[in-house]
Amino acid sequence: MKNFIELKNVVKTYVVGEQKFNALDGIDLSINIGELVVVLGPSGAGKSTLLNLLGGMDKATSGSIFIGEDDIAKFNDKELTRYRANDVGFIFQFYNVMPTLTVDENINLIKDVTNTSKDSKEVLKSVELEKHADKFPQELSGGEQQRVSIARAIMKNPKVLLCDEPTGALDSKTGVEVLKLLKKQSDSDTTVIIVTHNSLIADIADRIIKIKNGKVVSNEVNKHPKNIDEVKW
């Protein structure tokens, strides 16, 4: 695998009143292209801050964040907007689907912000929603709504797929189905990064990163990732 994401001495400092604190405190890590990565850590460890920096939703105070050949830490606002539109997909715990739009309309929203979109029929088929294209979100189960958000994210054919607790609001059976879809994306050379509190998910990962107090505690390759159906939830 080719090294694709590299962070060098990344610091993110927040100022609250007269106090400063480092949500990320000198992060160094690397991730290969096409890996399924699980980031673990307690609340307040810096996981979401890391995801926000990788997604171009926030800027590092200092350090470098390479996505391929580009150091997005040096991007201006216009460049970050273009990066978010074309190169990165987002999946959250709560589905963030538009309730007044059909499934097909929800995923085709991406065409308004990117020029790299896939064919919507193929995307719906890949997440097994082709029969639900004309339904509204309230007609779907929670797992199906999460698949809509996954479809919307992969419509743009992203280089990086960032997932913040993507199974957190789902039962275990539905969570497994969602993880299989995410694994399918990493098998097609999309780098998938999952932030979670659920350490069981780490068993399926190609790489496991642990964060505590804004620092990387470990960044290890999982030499024998389990099949998702083998994990005891």
Side-chain angles (χ1 to χ4, degrees), residues 94-152:
F94 300 104
Y95 323 122
N96 294 330
V97 293
M98 299 294 291
T100 58
L101 300 180
T102 66
V103 169
D104 187 64
E105 289 168 341
N106 260 283
I107 71 167
N108 275 296
L109 283 173
I110 290 298
K111 291 184 177 179
D112 294 332
V113 298
T114 182
N115 55 12
T116 61
S117 60
K118 295 183 176 182
D119 179 79
S120 61
K121 291 182 179 180
E122 291 182 7
V123 171
L124 284 174
K125 185 176 181 180
S126 73
V127 298
E128 300 178 0
L129 284 175
E130 66 269 30
K131 295 181 180 178
H132 301 295
D134 295 324
K135 290 184 178 179
F136 291 92
Q138 65 266 28
E139 300 177 87
L140 305 175
S141 68
E144 288 168 340
Q145 289 186 58
Q146 187 62 301
R147 278 190 269 162
V148 174
S149 69
I150 292 172
R152 185 176 55 198

